[in-house]
Amino acid sequence: MKIIGISGSLRRGSFNTALLRAAVELMPSGTQLEIAPIDQIPLYDGDLEASSGIPASVATLKERIVAADGLLLSTPEYNNSVPGVLKNTIDWLSRPSADSARVFGGRLVAIMGASPGAYGSVQAQAAGLPVLRRLRAQPWFGGRLAVARAAGVFDQNGVLVDETVRAQLRDFVHGFAQFVAAARAAKSPSSA
Ligand SMILES: Cc1cc2nc3c(=O)[nH]c(=O)nc-3n(C[C@H](O)[C@H](O)[C@H](O)COP(=O)(O)O)c2cc1C
């Protein structure tokens, strides 16, 4: 089983990318988490789409998501919402609209996040939900992970050093993987 992870931060020292990297190591056996970069995704521009179509970086990411069983978003919080780079990526992935259902329709999605502040990106996570509803994705509500005071949770190399958060992250990704596996089994019972 494969899950694609996207971090909503381009920052080299990003806590959210570090959280995804830690999640890679904590996935249950038989489930692989692959982190897909978004640093090559251009700003959405309808003129660019009209003249050149979907950029190669977007098309590649689309196919990675389509080929996967689930999508894990790790989002920072910017002004109580989803950062522009993540929303921009989702907007591109939803184009052309006739292809949006293939990428997002029924897509199993989990949202987690980290912030140096006290609330761990909860408002950004909530702000992502109307977007997923619009795209007819299927968010997982069985767990919640909002890593607060992130500067004390990761070391200077971005390694997760807080054992409580590590246990929370393990529970979160295992819960999502179970949800994805159950949905997969329901779709094709013979492969269960
Ligand atoms: C434009 C901007 C707005 C921000 N707004 C919030 C906010 O509303 N809540 C919050 O907890 N942190 C906020 N922050 C701080 C981010 O949580 C912090 O920069 C965090 O490290 C970003 O995630 P990253 O480490 O994955 O890059 C903001 C940062 C920026 C640059």
Side-chain angles (χ1 to χ4, degrees), residues 6 58 61-62 65-66 71 73 82 86-109 111 127-139:
I6 294 178
V58 177
L61 183 54
K62 270 183 164 192
I65 293 171
V66 168
L71 179 61
L73 303 176
V82 177
L86 182 55
K87 179 62 163 54
N88 178 67
T89 297
I90 294 171
D91 291 343
W92 261 124
L93 290 169
S94 72
R95 300 295 301 165
S97 56
D99 199 31
S100 171
R102 192 176 68 92
V103 179
F104 285 112
R107 180 74 43 208
L108 309 179
V109 185
I111 310 182
L129 295 178
V131 179
L132 295 177
R133 180 171 54 208
R134 157 73 185 166
L135 297 171
R136 299 182 191 279
Q138 201 181 329

mmCIF file of all heavy atoms in Angstrom, residues 6 58 61-62 65-66 71 73 82 86-109 111 127-139:
data_model
loop_
_atom_site.group_PDB
_atom_site.id
_atom_site.type_symbol
_atom_site.label_atom_id
_atom_site.label_comp_id
_atom_site.label_asym_id
_atom_site.label_seq_id
_atom_site.Cartn_x
_atom_site.Cartn_y
_atom_site.Cartn_z
ATOM 1 N N ILE A 6 2.619 15.120 1.214
ATOM 2 C CA ILE A 6 2.973 16.452 0.711
ATOM 3 C C ILE A 6 3.100 17.394 1.897
ATOM 4 O O ILE A 6 2.195 17.490 2.733
ATOM 5 C CB ILE A 6 1.911 16.979 -0.275
ATOM 6 C CG1 ILE A 6 1.890 16.120 -1.544
ATOM 7 C CG2 ILE A 6 2.170 18.450 -0.635
ATOM 8 C CD1 ILE A 6 0.840 16.541 -2.566
ATOM 9 N N VAL A 58 3.266 19.326 -12.327
ATOM 10 C CA VAL A 58 1.903 19.069 -11.833
ATOM 11 C C VAL A 58 1.412 17.717 -12.348
ATOM 12 O O VAL A 58 0.846 16.914 -11.593
ATOM 13 C CB VAL A 58 0.945 20.201 -12.272
ATOM 14 C CG1 VAL A 58 -0.481 19.891 -11.833
ATOM 15 C CG2 VAL A 58 1.407 21.550 -11.724
ATOM 16 N N LEU A 61 2.971 14.917 -10.418
ATOM 17 C CA LEU A 61 2.406 14.784 -9.073
ATOM 18 C C LEU A 61 1.008 14.177 -9.125
ATOM 19 O O LEU A 61 0.644 13.325 -8.305
ATOM 20 C CB LEU A 61 2.391 16.160 -8.377
ATOM 21 C CG LEU A 61 1.899 16.186 -6.933
ATOM 22 C CD1 LEU A 61 2.660 15.194 -6.054
ATOM 23 C CD2 LEU A 61 2.012 17.602 -6.356
ATOM 24 N N LYS A 62 0.241 14.600 -10.121
ATOM 25 C CA LYS A 62 -1.102 14.026 -10.292
ATOM 26 C C LYS A 62 -1.034 12.510 -10.414
ATOM 27 O O LYS A 62 -1.770 11.790 -9.746
ATOM 28 C CB LYS A 62 -1.723 14.538 -11.600
ATOM 29 C CG LYS A 62 -2.509 15.796 -11.498
ATOM 30 C CD LYS A 62 -3.081 16.034 -12.907
ATOM 31 C CE LYS A 62 -4.187 17.013 -12.897
ATOM 32 N NZ LYS A 62 -4.923 17.054 -14.157
ATOM 33 N N ILE A 65 -0.255 10.717 -7.235
ATOM 34 C CA ILE A 65 -1.410 10.662 -6.322
ATOM 35 C C ILE A 65 -2.415 9.623 -6.808
ATOM 36 O O ILE A 65 -2.932 8.818 -6.022
ATOM 37 C CB ILE A 65 -2.069 12.063 -6.201
ATOM 38 C CG1 ILE A 65 -1.115 13.021 -5.486
ATOM 39 C CG2 ILE A 65 -3.404 11.979 -5.476
ATOM 40 C CD1 ILE A 65 -1.552 14.477 -5.485
ATOM 41 N N VAL A 66 -2.662 9.623 -8.123
ATOM 42 C CA VAL A 66 -3.631 8.668 -8.688
ATOM 43 C C VAL A 66 -3.169 7.228 -8.450
ATOM 44 O O VAL A 66 -3.979 6.341 -8.160
ATOM 45 C CB VAL A 66 -3.838 8.952 -10.198
ATOM 46 C CG1 VAL A 66 -4.585 7.827 -10.883
ATOM 47 C CG2 VAL A 66 -4.582 10.280 -10.382
ATOM 48 N N LEU A 71 -3.449 9.988 0.552
ATOM 49 C CA LEU A 71 -2.681 11.238 0.502
ATOM 50 C C LEU A 71 -2.583 11.788 1.924
ATOM 51 O O LEU A 71 -3.607 11.907 2.618
ATOM 52 C CB LEU A 71 -3.424 12.222 -0.409
ATOM 53 C CG LEU A 71 -2.852 13.613 -0.619
ATOM 54 C CD1 LEU A 71 -1.469 13.553 -1.257
ATOM 55 C CD2 LEU A 71 -3.807 14.438 -1.502
ATOM 56 N N LEU A 73 -1.315 15.052 4.003
ATOM 57 C CA LEU A 73 -0.866 16.442 3.927
ATOM 58 C C LEU A 73 -0.325 16.862 5.293
ATOM 59 O O LEU A 73 -0.964 16.602 6.324
ATOM 60 C CB LEU A 73 -2.036 17.357 3.544
ATOM 61 C CG LEU A 73 -2.757 17.029 2.234
ATOM 62 C CD1 LEU A 73 -3.958 17.965 2.033
ATOM 63 C CD2 LEU A 73 -1.801 17.126 1.048
ATOM 64 N N VAL A 82 -4.351 27.666 5.339
ATOM 65 C CA VAL A 82 -3.401 26.833 4.595
ATOM 66 C C VAL A 82 -2.422 27.753 3.857
ATOM 67 O O VAL A 82 -2.846 28.724 3.250
ATOM 68 C CB VAL A 82 -4.185 25.983 3.561
ATOM 69 C CG1 VAL A 82 -3.251 25.162 2.704
ATOM 70 C CG2 VAL A 82 -5.199 25.089 4.263
ATOM 71 N N LEU A 86 0.706 25.415 -0.655
ATOM 72 C CA LEU A 86 -0.065 24.165 -0.619
ATOM 73 C C LEU A 86 -1.384 24.335 -1.365
ATOM 74 O O LEU A 86 -1.779 23.484 -2.173
ATOM 75 C CB LEU A 86 -0.312 23.729 0.836
ATOM 76 C CG LEU A 86 -1.069 22.418 1.021
ATOM 77 C CD1 LEU A 86 -0.385 21.269 0.273
ATOM 78 C CD2 LEU A 86 -1.200 22.067 2.500
ATOM 79 N N LYS A 87 -2.046 25.447 -1.122
ATOM 80 C CA LYS A 87 -3.322 25.698 -1.817
ATOM 81 C C LYS A 87 -3.076 25.803 -3.325
ATOM 82 O O LYS A 87 -3.856 25.281 -4.135
ATOM 83 C CB LYS A 87 -3.950 26.986 -1.269
ATOM 84 C CG LYS A 87 -5.273 27.389 -1.912
ATOM 85 C CD LYS A 87 -6.360 26.341 -1.693
ATOM 86 C CE LYS A 87 -7.747 26.897 -1.961
ATOM 87 N NZ LYS A 87 -7.937 27.519 -3.258
ATOM 88 N N ASN A 88 -1.978 26.468 -3.692
ATOM 89 C CA ASN A 88 -1.630 26.602 -5.108
ATOM 90 C C ASN A 88 -1.422 25.223 -5.748
ATOM 91 O O ASN A 88 -1.873 24.959 -6.866
ATOM 92 C CB ASN A 88 -0.358 27.446 -5.224
ATOM 93 C CG ASN A 88 0.119 27.605 -6.651
ATOM 94 O OD1 ASN A 88 -0.550 28.239 -7.468
ATOM 95 N ND2 ASN A 88 1.257 27.006 -6.980
ATOM 96 N N THR A 89 -0.749 24.343 -5.011
ATOM 97 C CA THR A 89 -0.520 22.984 -5.530
ATOM 98 C C THR A 89 -1.852 22.258 -5.721
ATOM 99 O O THR A 89 -2.084 21.631 -6.766
ATOM 100 C CB THR A 89 0.382 22.198 -4.543
ATOM 101 O OG1 THR A 89 1.650 22.849 -4.485
ATOM 102 C CG2 THR A 89 0.565 20.758 -4.974
ATOM 103 N N ILE A 90 -2.713 22.356 -4.724
ATOM 104 C CA ILE A 90 -4.025 21.688 -4.832
ATOM 105 C C ILE A 90 -4.819 22.280 -5.994
ATOM 106 O O ILE A 90 -5.475 21.549 -6.750
ATOM 107 C CB ILE A 90 -4.794 21.802 -3.490
ATOM 108 C CG1 ILE A 90 -4.063 21.006 -2.400
ATOM 109 C CG2 ILE A 90 -6.235 21.320 -3.643
ATOM 110 C CD1 ILE A 90 -4.604 21.205 -0.995
ATOM 111 N N ASP A 91 -4.729 23.587 -6.147
ATOM 112 C CA ASP A 91 -5.466 24.225 -7.251
ATOM 113 C C ASP A 91 -4.984 23.689 -8.601
ATOM 114 O O ASP A 91 -5.782 23.335 -9.464
ATOM 115 C CB ASP A 91 -5.319 25.749 -7.174
ATOM 116 C CG ASP A 91 -6.058 26.338 -5.972
ATOM 117 O OD1 ASP A 91 -6.928 25.645 -5.405
ATOM 118 O OD2 ASP A 91 -5.744 27.482 -5.588
ATOM 119 N N TRP A 92 -3.681 23.605 -8.773
ATOM 120 C CA TRP A 92 -3.153 23.053 -10.029
ATOM 121 C C TRP A 92 -3.595 21.595 -10.213
ATOM 122 O O TRP A 92 -3.982 21.171 -11.292
ATOM 123 C CB TRP A 92 -1.624 23.109 -10.045
ATOM 124 C CG TRP A 92 -1.000 24.244 -10.797
ATOM 125 C CD1 TRP A 92 -0.121 25.163 -10.303
ATOM 126 C CD2 TRP A 92 -1.162 24.584 -12.190
ATOM 127 N NE1 TRP A 92 0.266 26.044 -11.285
ATOM 128 C CE2 TRP A 92 -0.361 25.705 -12.453
ATOM 129 C CE3 TRP A 92 -1.923 24.047 -13.240
ATOM 130 C CZ2 TRP A 92 -0.279 26.307 -13.715
ATOM 131 C CZ3 TRP A 92 -1.847 24.645 -14.504
ATOM 132 C CH2 TRP A 92 -1.036 25.752 -14.719
ATOM 133 N N LEU A 93 -3.529 20.834 -9.113
ATOM 134 C CA LEU A 93 -3.889 19.405 -9.201
ATOM 135 C C LEU A 93 -5.352 19.223 -9.580
ATOM 136 O O LEU A 93 -5.741 18.159 -10.070
ATOM 137 C CB LEU A 93 -3.616 18.701 -7.856
ATOM 138 C CG LEU A 93 -2.140 18.515 -7.480
ATOM 139 C CD1 LEU A 93 -2.024 18.071 -6.022
ATOM 140 C CD2 LEU A 93 -1.466 17.495 -8.403
ATOM 141 N N SER A 94 -6.158 20.242 -9.335
ATOM 142 C CA SER A 94 -7.594 20.138 -9.637
ATOM 143 C C SER A 94 -7.902 20.549 -11.083
ATOM 144 O O SER A 94 -9.071 20.578 -11.473
ATOM 145 C CB SER A 94 -8.402 21.007 -8.664
ATOM 146 O OG SER A 94 -8.224 22.389 -8.962
ATOM 147 N N ARG A 95 -6.859 20.848 -11.850
ATOM 148 C CA ARG A 95 -7.049 21.284 -13.239
ATOM 149 C C ARG A 95 -6.609 20.212 -14.225
ATOM 150 O O ARG A 95 -5.678 19.463 -13.924
ATOM 151 C CB ARG A 95 -6.236 22.567 -13.493
ATOM 152 C CG ARG A 95 -6.615 23.731 -12.610
ATOM 153 C CD ARG A 95 -7.998 24.246 -12.820
ATOM 154 N NE ARG A 95 -8.191 24.698 -14.205
ATOM 155 C CZ ARG A 95 -9.379 24.938 -14.778
ATOM 156 N NH1 ARG A 95 -10.481 24.746 -14.096
ATOM 157 N NH2 ARG A 95 -9.458 25.328 -16.022
ATOM 158 N N PRO A 96 -7.181 20.085 -15.417
ATOM 159 C CA PRO A 96 -8.435 20.745 -15.783
ATOM 160 C C PRO A 96 -9.569 20.147 -14.965
ATOM 161 O O PRO A 96 -9.469 19.004 -14.506
ATOM 162 C CB PRO A 96 -8.581 20.426 -17.271
ATOM 163 C CG PRO A 96 -7.817 19.162 -17.471
ATOM 164 C CD PRO A 96 -6.694 19.178 -16.481
ATOM 165 N N SER A 97 -10.652 20.879 -14.818
ATOM 166 C CA SER A 97 -11.689 20.432 -13.885
ATOM 167 C C SER A 97 -12.240 19.058 -14.273
ATOM 168 O O SER A 97 -12.628 18.283 -13.402
ATOM 169 C CB SER A 97 -12.801 21.470 -13.781
ATOM 170 O OG SER A 97 -13.319 21.748 -15.051
ATOM 171 N N ALA A 98 -12.204 18.737 -15.570
ATOM 172 C CA ALA A 98 -12.717 17.424 -16.002
ATOM 173 C C ALA A 98 -11.856 16.278 -15.461
ATOM 174 O O ALA A 98 -12.306 15.135 -15.399
ATOM 175 C CB ALA A 98 -12.756 17.362 -17.532
ATOM 176 N N ASP A 99 -10.620 16.588 -15.044
ATOM 177 C CA ASP A 99 -9.711 15.552 -14.548
ATOM 178 C C ASP A 99 -9.658 15.528 -13.016
ATOM 179 O O ASP A 99 -8.999 14.681 -12.425
ATOM 180 C CB ASP A 99 -8.303 15.824 -15.115
ATOM 181 C CG ASP A 99 -7.402 14.592 -15.045
ATOM 182 O OD1 ASP A 99 -7.927 13.464 -15.145
ATOM 183 O OD2 ASP A 99 -6.190 14.764 -14.872
ATOM 184 N N SER A 100 -10.356 16.476 -12.401
ATOM 185 C CA SER A 100 -10.260 16.639 -10.948
ATOM 186 C C SER A 100 -10.775 15.406 -10.195
ATOM 187 O O SER A 100 -10.178 14.989 -9.190
ATOM 188 C CB SER A 100 -11.046 17.892 -10.535
ATOM 189 O OG SER A 100 -11.139 17.970 -9.153
ATOM 190 N N ALA A 101 -11.857 14.809 -10.700
ATOM 191 C CA ALA A 101 -12.448 13.653 -10.010
ATOM 192 C C ALA A 101 -11.464 12.477 -9.989
ATOM 193 O O ALA A 101 -11.409 11.716 -9.026
ATOM 194 C CB ALA A 101 -13.751 13.247 -10.670
ATOM 195 N N ARG A 102 -10.674 12.348 -11.044
ATOM 196 C CA ARG A 102 -9.698 11.255 -11.116
ATOM 197 C C ARG A 102 -8.629 11.415 -10.024
ATOM 198 O O ARG A 102 -8.162 10.446 -9.444
ATOM 199 C CB ARG A 102 -9.040 11.254 -12.506
ATOM 200 C CG ARG A 102 -8.217 10.034 -12.831
ATOM 201 C CD ARG A 102 -7.718 10.125 -14.266
ATOM 202 N NE ARG A 102 -6.748 11.193 -14.463
ATOM 203 C CZ ARG A 102 -5.429 11.058 -14.361
ATOM 204 N NH1 ARG A 102 -4.919 9.878 -14.073
ATOM 205 N NH2 ARG A 102 -4.616 12.080 -14.561
ATOM 206 N N VAL A 103 -8.260 12.661 -9.766
ATOM 207 C CA VAL A 103 -7.189 12.928 -8.803
ATOM 208 C C VAL A 103 -7.733 12.975 -7.365
ATOM 209 O O VAL A 103 -7.140 12.400 -6.450
ATOM 210 C CB VAL A 103 -6.479 14.265 -9.144
ATOM 211 C CG1 VAL A 103 -5.371 14.577 -8.144
ATOM 212 C CG2 VAL A 103 -5.923 14.214 -10.567
ATOM 213 N N PHE A 104 -8.885 13.644 -7.198
ATOM 214 C CA PHE A 104 -9.368 13.892 -5.832
ATOM 215 C C PHE A 104 -10.663 13.167 -5.471
ATOM 216 O O PHE A 104 -10.965 13.014 -4.282
ATOM 217 C CB PHE A 104 -9.571 15.402 -5.619
ATOM 218 C CG PHE A 104 -8.290 16.166 -5.445
ATOM 219 C CD1 PHE A 104 -7.861 17.067 -6.413
ATOM 220 C CD2 PHE A 104 -7.499 15.977 -4.319
ATOM 221 C CE1 PHE A 104 -6.673 17.773 -6.250
ATOM 222 C CE2 PHE A 104 -6.317 16.678 -4.152
ATOM 223 C CZ PHE A 104 -5.902 17.580 -5.116
ATOM 224 N N GLY A 105 -11.437 12.754 -6.452
ATOM 225 C CA GLY A 105 -12.745 12.162 -6.137
ATOM 226 C C GLY A 105 -12.594 10.923 -5.263
ATOM 227 O O GLY A 105 -11.908 9.980 -5.649
ATOM 228 N N GLY A 106 -13.183 10.934 -4.095
ATOM 229 C CA GLY A 106 -13.092 9.798 -3.178
ATOM 230 C C GLY A 106 -11.690 9.566 -2.624
ATOM 231 O O GLY A 106 -11.445 8.563 -1.946
ATOM 232 N N ARG A 107 -10.775 10.481 -2.903
ATOM 233 C CA ARG A 107 -9.381 10.302 -2.461
ATOM 234 C C ARG A 107 -9.315 10.312 -0.930
ATOM 235 O O ARG A 107 -9.841 11.210 -0.285
ATOM 236 C CB ARG A 107 -8.518 11.447 -3.037
ATOM 237 C CG ARG A 107 -7.047 11.425 -2.677
ATOM 238 C CD ARG A 107 -6.238 10.383 -3.382
ATOM 239 N NE ARG A 107 -6.550 10.265 -4.798
ATOM 240 C CZ ARG A 107 -6.397 9.139 -5.504
ATOM 241 N NH1 ARG A 107 -5.955 8.053 -4.925
ATOM 242 N NH2 ARG A 107 -6.706 9.119 -6.787
ATOM 243 N N LEU A 108 -8.646 9.336 -0.368
ATOM 244 C CA LEU A 108 -8.528 9.252 1.086
ATOM 245 C C LEU A 108 -7.396 10.170 1.525
ATOM 246 O O LEU A 108 -6.248 9.994 1.102
ATOM 247 C CB LEU A 108 -8.251 7.809 1.492
ATOM 248 C CG LEU A 108 -9.220 6.764 0.901
ATOM 249 C CD1 LEU A 108 -8.843 5.360 1.357
ATOM 250 C CD2 LEU A 108 -10.671 7.080 1.275
ATOM 251 N N VAL A 109 -7.735 11.161 2.354
ATOM 252 C CA VAL A 109 -6.766 12.198 2.709
ATOM 253 C C VAL A 109 -6.711 12.378 4.224
ATOM 254 O O VAL A 109 -7.752 12.465 4.887
ATOM 255 C CB VAL A 109 -7.153 13.559 2.076
ATOM 256 C CG1 VAL A 109 -6.069 14.604 2.345
ATOM 257 C CG2 VAL A 109 -7.396 13.441 0.582
ATOM 258 N N ILE A 111 -4.903 14.957 7.170
ATOM 259 C CA ILE A 111 -4.195 16.236 7.355
ATOM 260 C C ILE A 111 -3.603 16.266 8.756
ATOM 261 O O ILE A 111 -4.297 15.999 9.743
ATOM 262 C CB ILE A 111 -5.132 17.456 7.206
ATOM 263 C CG1 ILE A 111 -5.956 17.386 5.933
ATOM 264 C CG2 ILE A 111 -4.317 18.744 7.230
ATOM 265 C CD1 ILE A 111 -6.859 18.605 5.727
ATOM 266 N N ALA A 127 -9.009 24.647 7.909
ATOM 267 C CA ALA A 127 -9.224 25.435 6.689
ATOM 268 C C ALA A 127 -9.066 24.588 5.429
ATOM 269 O O ALA A 127 -9.576 24.945 4.365
ATOM 270 C CB ALA A 127 -8.264 26.625 6.656
ATOM 271 N N GLY A 128 -8.359 23.487 5.542
ATOM 272 C CA GLY A 128 -8.206 22.609 4.377
ATOM 273 C C GLY A 128 -9.471 21.810 4.079
ATOM 274 O O GLY A 128 -9.661 21.347 2.941
ATOM 275 N N LEU A 129 -10.335 21.667 5.056
ATOM 276 C CA LEU A 129 -11.484 20.774 4.871
ATOM 277 C C LEU A 129 -12.488 21.241 3.809
ATOM 278 O O LEU A 129 -12.945 20.415 3.004
ATOM 279 C CB LEU A 129 -12.184 20.526 6.212
ATOM 280 C CG LEU A 129 -11.323 19.774 7.237
ATOM 281 C CD1 LEU A 129 -12.075 19.607 8.561
ATOM 282 C CD2 LEU A 129 -10.910 18.405 6.690
ATOM 283 N N PRO A 130 -12.836 22.535 3.775
ATOM 284 C CA PRO A 130 -13.759 22.958 2.701
ATOM 285 C C PRO A 130 -13.176 22.722 1.310
ATOM 286 O O PRO A 130 -13.919 22.462 0.359
ATOM 287 C CB PRO A 130 -13.959 24.460 2.963
ATOM 288 C CG PRO A 130 -13.543 24.683 4.362
ATOM 289 C CD PRO A 130 -12.530 23.633 4.695
ATOM 290 N N VAL A 131 -11.855 22.815 1.205
ATOM 291 C CA VAL A 131 -11.203 22.571 -0.094
ATOM 292 C C VAL A 131 -11.400 21.096 -0.474
ATOM 293 O O VAL A 131 -11.783 20.776 -1.607
ATOM 294 C CB VAL A 131 -9.695 22.926 -0.016
ATOM 295 C CG1 VAL A 131 -9.011 22.660 -1.350
ATOM 296 C CG2 VAL A 131 -9.496 24.360 0.434
ATOM 297 N N LEU A 132 -11.175 20.215 0.499
ATOM 298 C CA LEU A 132 -11.330 18.780 0.223
ATOM 299 C C LEU A 132 -12.788 18.434 -0.064
ATOM 300 O O LEU A 132 -13.087 17.569 -0.892
ATOM 301 C CB LEU A 132 -10.809 17.959 1.405
ATOM 302 C CG LEU A 132 -9.303 18.091 1.668
ATOM 303 C CD1 LEU A 132 -8.909 17.290 2.908
ATOM 304 C CD2 LEU A 132 -8.492 17.626 0.457
ATOM 305 N N ARG A 133 -13.694 19.127 0.608
ATOM 306 C CA ARG A 133 -15.122 18.877 0.349
ATOM 307 C C ARG A 133 -15.471 19.269 -1.085
ATOM 308 O O ARG A 133 -16.134 18.551 -1.805
ATOM 309 C CB ARG A 133 -15.990 19.652 1.343
ATOM 310 C CG ARG A 133 -17.488 19.409 1.107
ATOM 311 C CD ARG A 133 -18.319 19.990 2.217
ATOM 312 N NE ARG A 133 -18.019 21.391 2.419
ATOM 313 C CZ ARG A 133 -18.150 22.024 3.581
ATOM 314 N NH1 ARG A 133 -18.548 21.384 4.656
ATOM 315 N NH2 ARG A 133 -17.877 23.299 3.680
ATOM 316 N N ARG A 134 -14.988 20.444 -1.490
ATOM 317 C CA ARG A 134 -15.231 20.928 -2.855
ATOM 318 C C ARG A 134 -14.719 19.911 -3.886
ATOM 319 O O ARG A 134 -15.324 19.693 -4.930
ATOM 320 C CB ARG A 134 -14.543 22.283 -3.026
ATOM 321 C CG ARG A 134 -14.210 22.691 -4.431
ATOM 322 C CD ARG A 134 -15.429 23.089 -5.227
ATOM 323 N NE ARG A 134 -15.077 23.357 -6.616
ATOM 324 C CZ ARG A 134 -15.955 23.461 -7.594
ATOM 325 N NH1 ARG A 134 -17.230 23.346 -7.349
ATOM 326 N NH2 ARG A 134 -15.556 23.687 -8.823
ATOM 327 N N LEU A 135 -13.587 19.275 -3.564
ATOM 328 C CA LEU A 135 -12.966 18.339 -4.508
ATOM 329 C C LEU A 135 -13.519 16.921 -4.357
ATOM 330 O O LEU A 135 -13.073 16.005 -5.035
ATOM 331 C CB LEU A 135 -11.434 18.340 -4.306
ATOM 332 C CG LEU A 135 -10.770 19.691 -4.591
ATOM 333 C CD1 LEU A 135 -9.310 19.670 -4.170
ATOM 334 C CD2 LEU A 135 -10.893 20.049 -6.068
ATOM 335 N N ARG A 136 -14.475 16.779 -3.458
ATOM 336 C CA ARG A 136 -15.127 15.469 -3.198
ATOM 337 C C ARG A 136 -14.129 14.401 -2.767
ATOM 338 O O ARG A 136 -14.253 13.221 -3.120
ATOM 339 C CB ARG A 136 -15.928 14.998 -4.418
ATOM 340 C CG ARG A 136 -17.032 15.966 -4.793
ATOM 341 C CD ARG A 136 -17.840 15.457 -5.972
ATOM 342 N NE ARG A 136 -18.731 16.485 -6.488
ATOM 343 C CZ ARG A 136 -19.910 16.805 -5.977
ATOM 344 N NH1 ARG A 136 -20.351 16.174 -4.910
ATOM 345 N NH2 ARG A 136 -20.657 17.744 -6.523
ATOM 346 N N ALA A 137 -13.122 14.846 -2.051
ATOM 347 C CA ALA A 137 -12.183 13.893 -1.450
ATOM 348 C C ALA A 137 -12.829 13.312 -0.191
ATOM 349 O O ALA A 137 -13.910 13.737 0.219
ATOM 350 C CB ALA A 137 -10.872 14.599 -1.103
ATOM 351 N N GLN A 138 -12.139 12.347 0.394
ATOM 352 C CA GLN A 138 -12.680 11.707 1.597
ATOM 353 C C GLN A 138 -11.688 11.879 2.741
ATOM 354 O O GLN A 138 -10.777 11.054 2.905
ATOM 355 C CB GLN A 138 -12.926 10.226 1.303
ATOM 356 C CG GLN A 138 -13.912 9.590 2.257
ATOM 357 C CD GLN A 138 -14.109 8.110 1.961
ATOM 358 O OE1 GLN A 138 -14.009 7.669 0.829
ATOM 359 N NE2 GLN A 138 -14.368 7.340 2.986
ATOM 360 N N PRO A 139 -11.842 12.955 3.524
ATOM 361 C CA PRO A 139 -10.900 13.156 4.628
ATOM 362 C C PRO A 139 -11.095 12.099 5.703
ATOM 363 O O PRO A 139 -12.205 11.615 5.927
ATOM 364 C CB PRO A 139 -11.263 14.536 5.188
ATOM 365 C CG PRO A 139 -12.298 15.103 4.292
ATOM 366 C CD PRO A 139 -12.877 14.000 3.477
#
